[in-house]
Amino acid sequence: PAVAGPFGLGRVAEPDEIAAWNLDVSPDGTGLPDGSGSVADGEQIFSDNCASCHGEFAEGLGNWPKLAGGDGTLANVDPVKTVGSYWPYLSTTWDYVNRSMPFGNAQSLSADDVYAITAYILYSNFLVDDDFVLSRENFTEVEMPNVGGFIPDDRPESEYAHWRVEPCMTDCKGVVEITMKATVLDVTPQESTD
Amino acid sequence: MTSDTKLKATSRRAFLKASLAAGGTLAGAGMARAGDPLITEVQPWAQGFGDPVDATPYGLPIRFESDAVRRNVPWLTADPISSINFTPIHALDGTITPQGCAFERHHSGAIELAKPDYRLMINGMVDKPLVFSYEDLERFPRENHVYFLECAANTGMEWAGAQLNGAQFTHGMIHNMEYTGVSLRTLLEEAGYDTSAKWIYVEGADASSNGRSIPMEKALDDVIVAFKANGEALRKEHGYPVRLVVPGWEGNLWIKWLRRIEVTDQPVESREETSKYTDVLADGTARKFTWVMDAKSVVTSPSPQAPITHGPGPLVITGMAWSGHGRITRVDVSKDGGKTWETARLAREGENKALTRFYLDTEWDGSEMLLQSRAIDETGYVQPTKAQLREVRGLNSVYHNNCIQTWWVKPTGEAENVEVS
């Protein structure tokens, strides 16, 4: 059942227009195009297009994002959140690389390139062997380590239920002491005086 | 006035100022005080011309207000293209954010997209996939509303402790504008959306695309496809010519340079809702789809960038409060780090999912204060302390830090970002 449009504004989108823009890929593989790519090809393509920021082993250079590593660190003081340690779905890697990378030259990779890069990122995270070939056909067989690591927003139960109470107004606590100061870190940009 | 007389007037004023200073020190000894030369002397602005009406077709703030500008923190991000800057909330009052200093957050820069080049596609589970031009959008019935947009990461650097010294930096990933546009529901109906569809996926025209999934219930509720803000076209950096307005929900969902709306039966689980905008808890699991921005407030003055310079006596403590759940109904202010609270005065009745200005008109005795504010919204939700948030979430959530902020105001009137027990 559908709702009728009363204004008659806009025009029907052409199939080639939809194909050009409708690129998103979902966890069940919806949206993936035909194609395939190997770890070996991905290593070369990654080296040419990605390694200048993300490192030859996807380990990240400088402040640029690490794409590999960080296994088992999510409960640490400083978790390292990478494709391997954190991302729940491989579809997101394919989709994001395809649409938005390389940074500054997005949408310049072929479907086969993106399959190959995705295979190389899996390899960099020790999730596949070096002879692995990723394709549309075997794509959804890859399960990411942290696929079970996410829960839908539970604030209504874990927070709102407890914090919707009339708050204290007087004598709310005893001694109040300063426990941390921003000027100790001194990382705020200074205002220029010119 | 000739340059010669101007010189004389200047030197005469300089002389009088010097006399005034001298007189001031001698006043206690019974000497007569000279009058304020800004009053007793004819000033140039009271004598000559100001600027003509053709000098400034579109004006900027007067140069003395150069403090009220966006600032960025270079070390926060790897580069200034996928980065953030901050609204100078310490210098603003009222609720409407001037667009020119309203914060920016881009993932591949602020793109230039002309109206003739603009296209909006609606596809997926619809009767007719449609393409709209910019002109088409202006022919649909319009609405306008004021809403806050708060980045999910606002105050995110403060999770582990007091870090950045200024309300602009700790709370300035926010702006509040009056938007004009078309309800998203109207556009979805025009395309004939499948009423069994549970989600939409929205993306921008920029290289990052910033694609996000939004449940259909929200899409049909109060989401706007907006083309005007604060009366004029959107600024380039805010999505010109068309952006999504998602009232009460995290800023990342407010897709700029909006180019496509896909009706789907499942969330895409895009990069911006898996890798980013998911909130890691202490045990290493992470919340996803944490869309709503909870009730929050901050004292904007006094604050580290807005110290007290006038000494003891009457003091206006002011700040802003907001909630993604609806209206702010009350703001409490504490001067002693949360031991005692006074209820502040709201400048106007709280508006739905919009900034509310509060004032506490008080007397300052010149002693140190630990200033806090605490917002309460129409659902009865009370803004929590950082300790309460940490107890539930740990230290690594990155996003959605709506904790009570403390400013340590010293006897000098200077203020500092601190945490208290």
Side-chain angles (χ1 to χ4, degrees):
Chain A
V3 183
F7 294 101
L9 290 170
R11 62 167 177 82
V12 171
E14 299 299 330
D16 63 335
E17 294 173 332
I18 297 173
W21 277 9
N22 183 24
L23 302 175
D24 56 273
V25 178
S26 296
D28 67 1
T30 301
L32 279 173
D34 285 331
S36 67
S38 66
V39 169
D41 288 345
E43 183 172 27
Q44 187 61 52
I45 299 165
F46 193 91
S47 183
D48 294 343
N49 295 277
C50 319
S52 62
C53 295
H54 295 295
E56 288 293 340
F57 307 99
E59 79 280 16
L61 298 180
N63 254 350
W64 296 103
K66 298 173 178 22
L67 307 181
D71 292 6
T73 66
L74 297 180
N76 290 5
V77 173
D78 287 309
V80 178
K81 298 189 283 182
T82 72
V83 174
S85 70
Y86 191 61
W87 292 32
Y89 304 111
L90 190 61
S91 56
T92 312
T93 304
W94 203 100
D95 175 58
Y96 184 67
V97 170
N98 182 49
R99 271 189 296 164
S100 299
M101 287 288 135
F103 192 58
N105 189 28
Q107 303 205 45
S108 60
L109 299 166
S110 71
D112 286 344
D113 289 345
V114 179
Y115 279 108
I117 288 171
T118 305
Y120 181 69
I121 293 172
L122 286 172
Y123 171 73
S124 299
N125 280 285
F126 307 108
L127 297 173
V128 297
D129 294 327
D130 61 2
D131 61 352
F132 180 70
V133 178
L134 182 66
S135 68
R136 181 181 188 169
E137 287 67 38
N138 69 0
F139 193 92
T140 56
E141 291 166 21
V142 181
E143 183 165 285
M144 301 303 285
N146 197 41
V147 65
F150 294 81
I151 57 169
D153 187 2
D154 67 345
R155 285 175 293 174
E157 303 78 43
S158 60
E159 297 179 7
Y160 306 159
H162 309 293
W163 297 344
R164 284 181 174 137
V165 292
E166 181 59 29
C168 176
M169 294 298 284
T170 55
D171 298 325
C172 300
K173 44 176 152 169
V175 177
V176 174
E177 286 175 336
I178 293 172
T179 54
M180 197 174 285
K181 296 178 182 179
T183 52
V184 172
L185 284 172
D186 195 23
V187 290
T188 308
Q190 294 304 302
E191 292 168 24
S192 66
T193 49
D194 53 24
Chain B
M1 188 191 290
T2 67
S3 59
D4 192 39
T5 54
K6 195 187 278 178
L7 264 176
K8 278 179 187 161
T10 305
S11 60
R12 178 165 161 74
R13 276 202 305 281
F15 173 76
L16 281 172
K17 271 183 191 161
S19 311
L20 179 69
T25 54
L26 292 172
M31 298 292 287
R33 282 186 57 163
D36 180 352
L38 284 168
I39 297 170
T40 59
E41 281 288 312
V42 177
Q43 299 298 315
W45 54 83
Q47 192 162 42
F49 293 132
D51 293 336
V53 294
D54 57 358
T56 315
Y58 198 112
L60 289 171
I62 195 166
R63 59 195 171 94
F64 312 120
E65 295 300 312
S66 60
D67 177 53
V69 292
R70 295 188 279 233
R71 289 195 173 84
N72 69 316
V73 179
W75 57 263
L76 277 178
T77 53
D79 71 289
I81 301 294
S82 180
S83 194
I84 188 84
N85 62 28
F86 300 87
T87 304
I89 57 171
H90 66 289
L92 304 178
D93 208 318
T95 58
I96 295 295
T97 313
Q99 291 199 83
C101 65
F103 90 101
E104 304 166 69
R105 202 293 185 235
H106 317 301
H107 293 79
S108 50
I111 60 166
E112 184 174 275
L113 179 54
K115 286 176 182 173
D117 297 333
Y118 180 77
R119 302 287 186 274
L120 174 62
M121 181 184 291
I122 301 186
N123 71 304
M125 298 169 67
V126 294
D127 273 356
K128 282 185 298 182
L130 293 177
V131 172
F132 298 111
S133 66
Y134 179 81
E135 290 71 24
D136 292 333
L137 295 181
E138 285 201 335
R139 297 171 67 188
F140 284 100
R142 293 175 210 170
E143 20 185 287
N144 62 75
H145 301 278
V146 176
Y147 294 120
F148 75 82
L149 182 171
E150 184 185 15
C151 179
N154 199 23
T155 322
M157 300 83 72
E158 302 291 309
W159 268 113
Q163 179 153 254
L164 287 162
N165 206 28
Q168 177 170 21
F169 301 107
T170 58
H171 289 76
M173 297 181 193
I174 191 167
H175 55 61
N176 192 66
M177 300 189 192
E178 183 200 52
Y179 293 97
T180 297
V182 179
S183 81
L184 178 56
R185 174 191 280 268
T186 298
L187 298 182
L188 289 170
E189 286 175 349
E190 191 71 9
Y193 69 93
D194 186 330
T195 54
S196 71
K198 295 286 192 292
W199 294 83
I200 62 167
Y201 177 75
V202 282
E203 67 179 8
D206 62 317
S208 83
S209 91
N210 201 70
R212 288 293 307 254
S213 305
I214 297 176
M216 185 59 94
E217 188 181 17
K218 178 69 174 178
L220 296 175
D221 179 16
D222 56 3
V223 177
I224 298 171
V225 174
F227 38 78
K228 295 280 170 75
N230 293 349
E232 61 181 354
L234 296 170
R235 294 293 170 95
K236 175 178 81 172
E237 61 270 33
H238 296 140
Y240 181 93
V242 177
R243 83 171 311 160
L244 208 62
V245 167
V246 190
W249 286 24
E250 63 187 14
N252 182 258
L253 293 151
W254 296 47
I255 310 301
K256 296 186 286 190
W257 315 291
L258 178 70
R259 86 168 190 187
R260 193 170 68 92
I261 300 163
E262 180 180 357
V263 179
T264 68
D265 57 3
Q266 62 185 346
V268 168
E269 302 272 6
S270 69
R271 186 253 196 182
E272 304 291 331
E273 57 206 22
T274 55
S275 172
K276 307 300 178 188
Y277 308 98
T278 51
D279 315 345
V280 176
L281 301 170
D283 67 358
T285 62
R287 290 173 176 162
K288 66 176 183 177
F289 301 149
T290 47
W291 298 304
V292 179
M293 301 306 292
D294 293 328
K296 186 168 173 180
S297 67
V298 65
V299 171
T300 52
S301 180
S303 67
Q305 296 159 287
I308 303 172
T309 55
H310 53 57
L315 170 68
V316 174
I317 297 172
T318 188
M320 53 198 212
W322 62 97
S323 173
H325 295 281
R327 299 167 196 279
I328 292 294
T329 53
R330 187 174 117 196
V331 180
D332 298 330
V333 171
S334 174
K335 298 174 199 164
D336 56 13
K339 281 195 232 178
T340 56
W341 296 85
E342 299 170 71
T343 296
R345 170 171 64 89
L346 303 186
R348 276 197 308 282
E349 194 178 339
E351 292 176 54
N352 183 39
K353 300 167 188 168
L355 287 192
T356 295
R357 173 63 51 177
F358 67 85
Y359 298 107
L360 185 72
D361 308 299
T362 191
E363 284 280 316
W364 183 46
D365 64 8
S367 58
E368 73 169 26
M369 296 185 284
L370 292 168
L371 275 185
Q372 298 183 334
S373 62
R374 178 174 73 189
I376 302 174
D377 71 22
E378 64 178 311
T379 72
Y381 175 96
V382 180
Q383 182 183 357
T385 62
K386 204 186 282 186
Q388 283 177 293
L389 287 169
R390 285 173 178 159
E391 194 180 336
V392 179
R393 305 184 195 173
L395 291 173
N396 290 320
S397 277
V398 180
Y399 307 106
H400 292 279
N401 185 349
N402 65 319
C403 71
I404 289 172
Q405 171 67 43
T406 307
W407 305 128
W408 175 31
V409 181
K410 304 165 201 182
T412 58
E414 294 169 296
E416 184 174 343
N417 175 14
V418 297
E419 286 189 7
V420 294
S421 55

